[in-house]
Amino acid sequence: MSPAASGLLRALIERTGIDRNRILLIGLETCDWQSLTFVGERHELQLRILPPASKVAARRLCEGLGDAEFAIPGQLVVDIAVRAGPALSVDGSTLLTIEALTIEE
């Protein structure tokens, strides 16, 4: 996992306000990205938030996500959105997929 992806995951977990052992990373895709002036990575993170507070944590994570600021050393999150979910599973967990673009500072 790249430093940018790792920092992004930590920042997303912090937004939920629950213990990190209640959030599972079940999928991650990261690819290099660049423009004429910037270098970075595009990320897709698939998360499973475990009960009992999964709905509340997912709401905290998703609300205002596009306008949120993240403290990731050496990186800026320039685009972030919920791509899928949140979706409640039969076991009470909540699934969601987050897409983000990070660039080097």
Side-chain angles (χ1 to χ4, degrees), residues 10-20 22-23 49 53 56-61:
R10 281 192 302 274
L12 291 171
I13 290 171
E14 274 183 32
R15 281 182 60 85
T16 66
I18 63 173
D19 291 334
R20 67 182 317 125
R22 307 302 304 161
I23 302 173
I49 305 172
V56 171
R59 187 176 62 246
R60 285 184 196 145
L61 177 59

Side-chain angles (χ1 to χ4, degrees), residues 18 22 48-55 88-94:
I18 63 173
R22 307 302 304 161
R48 177 183 295 272
I49 305 172
L50 302 176
S54 69
K55 286 192 272 185
L88 191 61
S89 295
V90 293
D91 66 355
S93 65
T94 301

Side-chain angles (χ1 to χ4, degrees), residues 32-49:
D32 293 337
W33 177 93
Q34 63 186 27
S35 69
L36 290 175
T37 53
F38 298 106
V39 174
E41 295 177 341
R42 192 159 275 293
H43 312 277
E44 181 180 288
L45 297 94
Q46 297 171 344
L47 305 173
R48 177 183 295 272
I49 305 172

Side-chain angles (χ1 to χ4, degrees), residues 59-104:
R59 187 176 62 246
R60 285 184 196 145
L61 177 59
C62 296
E63 283 180 354
L65 184 63
D67 296 324
E69 296 203 18
F70 298 91
I72 303 171
Q75 302 290 320
L76 294 173
V77 177
V78 295
D79 188 29
I80 189 164
V82 177
R83 185 174 146 249
L88 191 61
S89 295
V90 293
D91 66 355
S93 65
T94 301
L95 302 171
L96 54 105
T97 301
I98 307 282
E99 285 186 338
L101 174 63
T102 57
I103 60 171
E104 296 175 4

